[in-house]
Amino acid sequence: MPNTRSVFIVDLHYIVPLSNVDAHVPGHVEFLNRSYDAGLFLMSGAKVPRTGGMIVAISESRAALDEHLAKDPFHAKNIAEYTITEFQAKMHKTGIFD
């Protein structure tokens, strides 16, 4: 079955001090867990050094991803700015889109 979903790299950059970020981490982790359960996120983690984070996501469209990301407390509380890059996955590990 061909992939009908787009792949996105979501680059989060903190725009507040880490002390403000830390206060919203539990809600962000809940958002991440819901995103994995929904099959939208493939991987995520903090940048080194800790200036933000990265997410690899799959979605039906950029608009659908934007709508979903708006529910992230880091977005809703203006904790981080998001840069999103879409790409066409021409090659991938077997089963990654299952």
Side-chain angles (χ1 to χ4, degrees):
M1 172 197 276
N3 173 30
T4 59
R5 297 188 286 180
S6 295
V7 181
F8 299 88
I9 303 297
V10 182
D11 182 348
L12 287 75
H13 178 75
Y14 299 141
I15 55 175
V16 299
L18 280 178
S19 59
N20 294 29
V21 172
D22 289 341
H24 296 283
V25 167
H28 176 68
V29 170
E30 288 177 20
F31 167 78
L32 292 172
N33 286 331
R34 288 191 308 272
S35 301
Y36 281 106
D37 290 346
L40 294 171
F41 290 178
L42 298 177
M43 63 184 72
S44 61
K47 292 180 187 177
V48 178
R50 191 174 167 214
T51 59
M54 302 292 290
I55 299 169
V56 177
I58 52 176
S59 181
E60 300 299 325
S61 68
R62 169 66 190 265
L65 178 63
D66 286 342
E67 183 178 327
H68 182 74
L69 290 173
K71 300 171 189 171
D72 183 355
F74 281 5
H75 184 277
K77 304 287 185 181
N78 293 316
I79 301 298
E81 293 179 339
Y82 294 65
T83 301
I84 301 170
T85 303
E86 180 176 1
F87 72 98
Q88 296 177 344
K90 298 295 184 184
M91 296 177 67
H92 56 81
K93 180 179 168 87
T94 302
I96 202 165
F97 291 107
D98 294 342

